[in-house]
Amino acid sequence: MKISKKLSIGALFAGAMLAGSIAFAAWTATGSGSGYAKATSAQALTTVDVSAGTTATLYPGATGDVLLRIANPNPYAVTVTDVVSVGAIDSDTTAACDGATGVTFTDQTGLSLNVPAGAAATFTLSGSVAMDNSSHTSCQGAVFTIPVTLTGASA
């Protein structure tokens, strides 16, 4: 009886192992295929009006600072490398006070202005604007608008 009991237990154990391996094999699956991802399209950077916060640093014969606030609508940070003038400089005063009366902007290249994802950041471009002695007297206290193009890349 002892041998048949041992055989019965051994057979039961072996059967359980076989059934377990078949059940495991029935639930295991493998395969191959492709996953997909799509890149977003870059959105244009824009500038934000900061004329109210601009400090008076210009006068005839001097260079001054340009205050620039850049908005980045992209879901990634952007580093702006170039700020280049693209149009006539205008002022908030009379028609006699404009860029044609001695106010000039020096293009800024080789910059590293980091604008966070989905945010805006303010920068001061030191010494980037100049006023010569031909500026009209009506330019006193004027705020100048300098149209620019921004160039940058993901940071």
Side-chain angles (χ1 to χ4, degrees):
M1 246 189 163
K2 283 189 172 190
I3 292 178
S4 70
K5 193 174 184 181
K6 284 184 182 181
L7 273 174
S8 296
I9 292 173
L12 183 63
F13 182 72
M17 293 298 286
L18 181 60
S21 66
I22 291 170
F24 176 76
W27 287 99
T28 300
T30 63
S32 64
S34 300
Y36 300 92
K38 184 175 181 179
T40 188
S41 296
Q43 302 297 311
L45 301 173
T46 59
T47 60
V48 179
D49 184 352
V50 289
S51 58
T54 302
T55 303
T57 59
L58 275 180
Y59 54 89
T63 59
D65 302 335
V66 170
L67 191 61
L68 182 66
R69 184 163 179 83
I70 302 171
N72 176 14
N74 295 294
Y76 52 86
V78 172
T79 299
V80 174
T81 56
D82 300 324
V83 178
V84 177
S85 177
V86 292
I89 297 172
D90 198 13
S91 79
D92 64 348
T93 62
T94 67
C97 177
D98 62 16
T101 64
V103 176
T104 57
F105 177 77
T106 302
D107 292 343
Q108 304 294 296
T109 59
L111 301 171
S112 185
L113 308 176
N114 193 3
V115 186
T122 304
F123 305 96
T124 299
L125 304 177
S126 299
S128 60
V129 66
M131 178 183 277
D132 67 25
N133 286 320
S134 68
S135 291
H136 193 270
T137 192
S138 65
C139 290
Q140 295 181 50
V143 175
F144 295 92
T145 301
I146 305 163
V148 294
T149 295
L150 308 169
T151 303
S154 58

